[in-house]
Amino acid sequence: MNVKASKPDVREATATQKRPSRQINVILRNADDSAASTISATDAVTALRSLPQNGPWTEWQKELDRMVGLDNIKELVYEIYALLQVMQYRSEASLQAQAHVYHMIFKGNPGTGKTTVARLLAKLFQGMGLLAKGHLIEVERADLVGEYIGHTAQKTRELVKKSLGGILFIDEAYSLARGGEKDFGKEAIDTLVKAMEDYKNQFVLILAGYTLEIESFLMTNPGLPSRFPIQMEFPDYSVDQLVQIAESMTKERDYTLLPQTLFKLRQLLMQEKTESIYDFSNARYVRNVLERAIRYQAVRLLSQHPSGSPGRQELMALRPEDVRSL
């Protein structure tokens, strides 16, 4: 569904034009100070982030680099790593290295990499000694909320205990507050808040979901926002990024997208992003389209080669007729 620019959008655009640029120029001079070059703040941060040449960060860096987009998320992950590393240095130097709170909020549409980043953070925290196990327990409302008084608290406490030493990841966390005061979901929230105090620094709690719903959820309990000092916004992928994700997915499965297939996929993605009446599911949508295309390719190949196996190239190629809208 196409959305035309509203008056607030126009005002925002005007305000943006009036505001001074937030780009920071950094002047780099050579030894004799005879030459200078100017780079943006983003380039400076990237240069800083590339400094570690060895150690545990290099493996996490490879995983981050494999992820398309999410530049703001990657920078925040590096900030967390840098803080943990410096706290280790401070401890070795007999300086105070107080534990920080790492409970987080992940906001964004489906298919934007929230669960993938959570798994990466679990490995990072385990590798840096913050979490003992580094595992991820992924749950939703049905896993936490029981059917009678006291049942919810019991289920929630059991899941918290399973997550000790790792990360408890609650998807669509706002669903816990949808039933009102008498709903058992409130009991789950209260139990989680207590667990954050009882098991401080023994696990990390991540609440994830749509941006607006998560923000409304945080307002239901005055003590919630301050308990989650780290909030990550996962933006929707652009069409170019989604095509890049599609190429990566097909390569991992030993399939190829022909040029005309890529063209059709791009058109399909543009249409879906602009006309869908539902929230766009990003990489999840791409995966579903590709898996459907693989099924259609299988049917096509059997009909075209009823008496024998197609050649290697045919087995790999996804053609335009295989790619269809969901």
Side-chain angles (χ1 to χ4, degrees):
M1 179 169 58
N2 293 317
V3 180
K4 296 183 178 179
S6 61
K7 292 183 179 179
D9 294 330
V10 175
R11 287 197 298 268
E12 177 63 23
T14 305
T16 302
Q17 292 173 354
K18 293 180 179 179
R19 284 195 296 265
S21 172
R22 297 182 63 185
Q23 176 169 307
I24 302 172
N25 290 328
V26 182
I27 306 300
L28 302 179
R29 303 183 186 278
N30 61 12
D32 59 6
D33 205 30
S34 60
S37 60
T38 304
I39 63 173
S40 68
T42 301
D43 294 332
V45 172
T46 301
L48 287 173
R49 192 162 64 84
S50 65
L51 284 178
Q53 299 298 318
N54 48 46
W57 174 254
T58 55
E59 291 302 315
W60 301 316
Q61 176 82 61
K62 290 177 183 177
E63 290 197 45
L64 284 171
D65 289 343
R66 283 197 292 267
M67 299 177 67
V68 175
L70 301 179
D71 292 338
N72 60 323
I73 304 299
K74 293 175 182 177
E75 292 301 338
L76 186 50
V77 171
Y78 182 73
E79 286 177 17
I80 294 171
Y81 158 75
L83 177 61
L84 292 171
Q85 184 65 68
V86 170
M87 287 300 105
Q88 286 187 5
Y89 293 154
R90 288 179 61 87
S91 180
E92 293 167 2
S94 299
L95 296 170
Q96 287 193 21
Q98 295 180 350
H100 285 242
V101 177
Y102 293 98
H103 301 305
M104 307 179 194
I105 298 292
F106 284 6
K107 298 183 287 188
N109 284 331
T112 48
K114 295 188 289 294
T115 306
T116 302
V117 171
R119 289 196 185 99
L120 175 63
L121 286 170
K123 294 180 183 178
L124 188 153
F125 287 146
Q126 192 271 336
M128 299 299 294
L130 182 71
L131 296 176
K133 299 178 181 178
H135 61 300
L136 180 75
I137 303 294
E138 186 176 357
V139 300
E140 53 188 19
R141 176 188 164 93
D143 301 305
L144 297 166
V145 179
E147 300 175 357
Y148 50 84
I149 296 175
H151 190 208
T152 294
Q154 177 187 344
K155 291 180 69 174
T156 304
R157 281 195 296 265
E158 288 175 355
L159 284 170
V160 168
K161 289 180 180 179
K162 286 182 180 179
S163 68
L164 294 181
I167 290 179
L168 179 59
F169 183 90
I170 305 179
D171 199 16
E172 297 187 3
Y174 41 77
S175 62
L176 296 174
R178 281 180 173 168
E181 287 294 321
K182 296 182 180 180
D183 183 71
F184 291 137
K186 185 178 184 300
E187 187 178 356
I189 298 172
D190 295 338
T191 305
L192 288 169
V193 170
K194 186 176 185 302
M196 293 165 74
E197 292 296 328
D198 294 344
Y199 302 102
K200 187 176 295 184
N201 303 322
Q202 295 185 52
F203 81 111
V204 170
L205 177 61
I206 298 179
L207 305 183
Y210 295 107
T211 300
L212 293 179
E213 284 86 344
I214 280 286
E215 290 175 353
S216 299
F217 166 69
L218 292 175
M219 295 173 62
T220 63
N221 187 319
L224 278 178
S226 61
R227 297 180 185 276
F228 297 91
I230 301 175
Q231 298 196 17
M232 296 190 183
E233 184 76 41
F234 288 74
D236 283 347
Y237 289 108
S238 68
V239 171
D240 287 340
Q241 290 172 335
L242 291 169
V243 170
Q244 188 178 345
I245 289 170
E247 291 179 306
S248 176
M249 287 180 177
T250 52
K251 183 178 180 180
E252 288 175 358
R253 303 184 187 198
D254 283 335
Y255 285 92
T256 58
L257 293 167
L258 301 178
Q260 56 268 41
T261 311
L262 279 172
F263 179 78
K264 183 174 181 179
L265 177 62
R266 182 180 292 275
Q267 287 184 314
L268 185 63
L269 290 169
M270 292 174 62
Q271 179 181 353
E272 182 67 20
K273 279 178 68 71
T274 57
E275 297 182 3
S276 176
I277 61 175
Y278 305 104
D279 290 298
F280 183 59
S281 58
N282 292 278
R284 191 178 302 172
Y285 178 83
V286 171
R287 185 190 66 217
N288 291 338
V289 167
L290 290 178
E291 289 182 349
R292 190 180 190 188
I294 289 171
R295 296 197 301 271
Y296 280 125
Q297 185 230 37
V299 172
R300 175 175 58 79
L301 290 178
L302 285 185
S303 64
Q304 292 175 347
H305 303 272
S307 59
S309 173
R312 178 183 174 86
Q313 295 301 319
E314 277 295 306
L315 287 169
M316 294 177 64
L318 292 177
R319 298 187 174 277
E321 57 266 32
D322 301 325
V323 176
R324 310 180 192 183
S325 173
L326 297 177

